[in-house]
Amino acid sequence: MITAVRQLLTCHWTSHRVQRYLDADPDAHLAPDEVARLEAHLAACERCTDLVAQHKALHWALSTWSRRSPVDPASVDRVRRFVDELSDGSRS
């Protein structure tokens, strides 16, 4: 029972630091002892390893999304005109 509670607390601790770990953000860095603790936990915990994989997949999806071709400006203008017409009541 104590082992399960300890594992749960370590998973909770890890989940709150995994994004900072993956981002390696210098403004929100992890201390070397935190990195060592997190990496040791990831080596032993399949659930947290899956969490890291999910974060990486999300990061990949978002990064590829931003590289897609931009929206056609003419289409954006048409949508804006349509919304303007709806809001001023000229289109029913």
Side-chain angles (χ1 to χ4, degrees), residues 32 54 56 68 78 87:
Q54 290 171 11
K56 287 180 177 180
R68 293 185 182 161
R78 282 192 301 276
S87 63

Side-chain angles (χ1 to χ4, degrees), residues 17-69:
R17 287 161 181 82
V18 75
Q19 191 64 52
R20 289 171 40 206
Y21 172 74
L22 293 172
D23 289 346
D25 183 354
D27 293 331
H29 73 280
L30 295 174
D33 62 323
E34 290 178 303
V35 171
R37 178 179 172 188
L38 191 139
E39 288 175 346
H41 179 71
L42 291 175
C45 180
E46 184 177 339
R47 182 172 33 176
C48 289
T49 302
D50 289 345
L51 176 67
V52 168
Q54 290 171 11
H55 278 276
K56 287 180 177 180
L58 178 60
H59 175 74
W60 176 84
L62 291 174
S63 68
T64 59
W65 183 25
S66 65
R67 285 183 264 174
R68 293 185 182 161
S69 60

